[in-house]
Amino acid sequence: MRRNLKQFITILVLLMATLKAAADDFTLKGKVVDEEEHALELVTVSCPAQGKVTMTNLKGEFSLHLQSADSVEVRFSMIGYAPRKRVFRNPKKQLRIQIVMHPMKALQEVTVTQQRRQTGQTQNLNVKDLKQTPSTTGNAVEELIQQQAGVSTHNELSSQYNVRGGSFDENLVYINQVEVYRPMLVSSGQQEGLSIINPDMVEKIGFSTGGFEAKYGDKMSSALDITYRRVEGFEATASASLLGASGYLGVGNKRFSMLHGLRYKTNKYLLGSLETTGEYHPNFFDYQTYISYKPNNRWTVDFIGNISDNHYNFKPEDRESEEVRSKLLRLGISQVSGGSRTSVGGYTEKLRPHDTEQFDVSDQRTLDEVVAWLMQNGHIPSFCTACYREGRTGDRFMSLCKSGQILNCCHPNALMTLAEYLVDYASEETKQLGFAMIGKELKRIPKEKVRDIAEQNIRDIIMSNSRDFRF
């Protein structure tokens, strides 16, 4: 009797749990249509909170089995229609709904205004942009070209540019339909002078990055077609800045036109603003004239003249001051010079000769001062050349670096060569710093065998005047 009672109670509990689980679920069915009551297929129906999702069939119908809760949010979405959502309060058993999807609002009307009709591959650039573009080189036309699509440059102080990966010398330049051999620029960057194109005298700029007309020749990259203006009347402009100055004068009538342009440029103040002292003090002067005479409607006689006076004033200078070296060492650069002399035979002199130096050195400290400074900043001065002498170069050297094994050579070699320098050349203060560092660093050598050999070699360097130990 008791056994039957237990079975009855167990069945009753299971039945109640099943009924409770069924009561907590509900089925959402429905149909999704548009504003004209047409069924919409492939509409996404989802309940993000429960991770349930389905899609409507060809008739726009759907069915989704969900867990009941105080509120259940169901979302409806489809490309081209505004998303909808419905919230159901304490849903039970089965619900049937119909959702109307509304099309998304159309984009506002776009108006395209024609500035000019382009019938070829040459783009006409706005000359007014020359005056609005800041220029560090004084070559405003080239700097405007550098802003065009497909054009790149690698130096903001240079007017050189390349187009779509081409070389810098693959760009054609025409002035009044006459090809100009472009290397008027002696060098690039800080030493670059003024280009042949005077922006004050330009009337039209045509630029093509490819597919240009056959009259421009067979260069691969681009064609720059410059047209100088013909004036009727009188006009003049002048401008000045810390980087240079320019002046322009034009006078003419229907038959005769004459333009004159002067330009001056210097990069001295721009380079002098850098933290490191500049090596260049260039001065560039340019005079250009364009004279045009039109005796009748069939003939035109043009003359373009150009005079340039360029002084580069190049004076080499070592820019590695103590401040710069401190920053470079923090970045991981590990090779610096100390006590460098640039005079012929300068290392044979006891004192540094200044009157015969080939270029100035910013860091005037002696080698002993540089070595002491490095150790004070926690660096180990190393005079090691073991890798070259042992043939650890190329792939062999790289394999040791990648595996980290090079440390077993570099660390003890640095300490041994430093010991040689301290014994032979260092001042007493530098010796105290150096030997204290060597004693500290020997304890950091991980391999006991390498550490023992390094300690013995350093003792031999100090006591028995032995030299040239290396791993």
Side-chain angles (χ1 to χ4, degrees), residues 172-445:
L172 288 167
V173 178
Y174 283 79
I175 297 181
N176 285 15
Q177 301 182 3
V178 177
E179 183 178 358
V180 177
Y181 184 59
R182 194 167 179 273
M184 294 291 292
L185 312 174
V186 175
S187 187
S188 63
Q190 294 160 317
Q191 287 199 76
E192 186 169 313
L194 294 164
S195 76
I196 186 94
I197 303 172
N198 190 325
D200 294 329
M201 302 169 63
V202 174
E203 181 181 33
K204 290 195 308 182
I205 303 174
F207 182 66
S208 175
T209 58
F212 39 81
E213 301 174 48
K215 67 178 183 179
Y216 291 123
D218 59 352
K219 286 294 181 81
M220 296 173 58
S221 293
S222 70
L224 175 61
D225 192 352
I226 301 296
T227 302
Y228 279 174
R229 61 164 59 99
R230 297 185 80 258
V231 298
E232 294 184 8
F234 176 83
E235 58 184 41
T237 61
S239 62
S241 70
L242 292 176
L243 299 180
S246 66
Y248 159 74
L249 174 66
V251 61
N253 51 39
K254 293 183 178 181
R255 291 187 176 274
F256 180 79
S257 173
M258 180 171 56
L259 308 180
H260 300 278
L262 288 172
R263 291 183 294 168
Y264 170 76
K265 168 193 169 185
T266 178
N267 287 341
K268 179 173 62 174
Y269 297 108
L270 178 63
L271 301 174
S273 64
L274 302 177
E275 180 180 355
T276 54
T277 56
E279 296 180 351
Y280 309 103
H281 301 280
N283 294 284
F284 310 105
F285 174 79
D286 171 87
Y287 166 74
Q288 199 164 148
T289 182
Y290 170 49
I291 301 174
S292 178
Y293 176 61
K294 189 175 182 180
N296 53 53
N297 293 332
R298 298 177 58 187
W299 291 91
T300 300
V301 180
D302 291 342
F303 171 77
I304 297 178
N306 180 51
I307 299 175
S308 295
D309 185 21
N310 301 320
H311 299 277
Y312 297 97
N313 298 327
F314 174 66
K315 183 180 180 182
E317 182 175 328
D318 183 357
R319 296 174 293 177
E320 293 183 10
S321 62
E322 181 177 346
E323 294 78 11
V324 172
R325 289 183 168 187
S326 297
K327 294 181 179 180
L328 295 177
L329 288 171
R330 289 195 294 269
L331 293 175
I333 294 177
S334 59
Q335 292 187 354
V336 296
S337 61
S340 299
R341 300 186 179 184
T342 61
S343 301
V344 176
Y347 289 103
T348 62
E349 304 290 337
K350 186 174 182 180
L351 299 177
R352 180 196 302 270
H354 293 282
D355 54 344
T356 59
E357 288 186 318
Q358 298 180 18
F359 59 89
D360 295 334
V361 178
S362 295
D363 194 343
Q364 296 286 333
R365 295 175 297 176
T366 64
L367 178 59
D368 187 78
E369 292 172 334
V370 172
V371 170
W373 168 72
L374 289 172
M375 291 189 293
Q376 290 169 354
N377 286 275
H379 303 289
I380 306 174
S382 174
F383 299 86
C384 177
T385 59
C387 285
Y388 292 100
R389 300 171 70 183
E390 294 293 329
R392 288 194 295 265
T393 58
D395 294 339
R396 184 183 175 192
F397 177 79
M398 291 305 299
S399 62
L400 291 172
C401 288
K402 293 177 181 178
S403 64
Q405 296 299 318
I406 193 67
L407 183 63
N408 296 322
C409 299
C410 289
H411 195 185
N413 284 342
L415 298 178
M416 291 186 296
T417 56
L418 175 60
E420 292 184 15
Y421 171 79
L422 296 175
V423 172
D424 294 340
Y425 304 106
S427 63
E428 290 301 322
E429 294 181 357
T430 303
K431 286 181 180 180
Q432 293 179 5
L433 284 172
F435 286 122
M437 171 172 279
I438 290 173
K440 180 181 178 181
E441 290 296 327
L442 282 172
K443 299 177 182 179
R444 298 179 59 187
I445 297 177

Side-chain angles (χ1 to χ4, degrees), residues 81-93:
Y81 291 85
R84 294 286 308 275
K85 69 177 180 179
R86 289 285 298 273
V87 179
F88 303 96
R89 304 294 180 183
N90 294 316
K92 299 181 182 300
K93 295 184 180 180

Side-chain angles (χ1 to χ4, degrees), residues 132-163:
Q132 301 174 358
T133 303
S135 174
T136 58
T137 66
N139 304 316
V141 173
E142 286 85 350
E143 294 189 357
L144 180 62
I145 296 299
Q146 292 170 4
Q147 302 174 20
Q148 307 306 309
V151 182
S152 62
T153 183
H154 305 290
N155 193 328
E156 62 182 358
L157 296 177
S158 173
S159 63
Q160 299 188 31
Y161 58 89
N162 59 349
V163 179

Side-chain angles (χ1 to χ4, degrees), residues 75-78 80-85 99-104:
R75 299 180 183 180
F76 303 84
S77 60
M78 184 180 181
Y81 291 85
R84 294 286 308 275
K85 69 177 180 179
I99 299 295
V100 179
M101 302 288 287
H102 303 282
M104 297 184 69

Side-chain angles (χ1 to χ4, degrees), residues 94-145:
Q94 182 172 307
L95 298 178
R96 183 173 291 276
I97 60 173
Q98 179 169 303
I99 299 295
V100 179
M101 302 288 287
H102 303 282
M104 297 184 69
K105 294 182 179 180
L107 296 175
Q108 296 181 354
E109 181 179 353
V110 177
T111 303
V112 179
T113 304
Q114 174 182 303
Q115 290 185 341
R116 65 178 66 88
R117 187 177 298 275
Q118 183 172 329
T119 57
Q121 297 295 325
T122 301
Q123 177 185 5
N124 293 319
L125 305 182
N126 192 348
V127 180
K128 294 181 180 179
D129 293 338
L130 294 176
K131 298 180 180 180
Q132 301 174 358
T133 303
S135 174
T136 58
T137 66
N139 304 316
V141 173
E142 286 85 350
E143 294 189 357
L144 180 62
I145 296 299

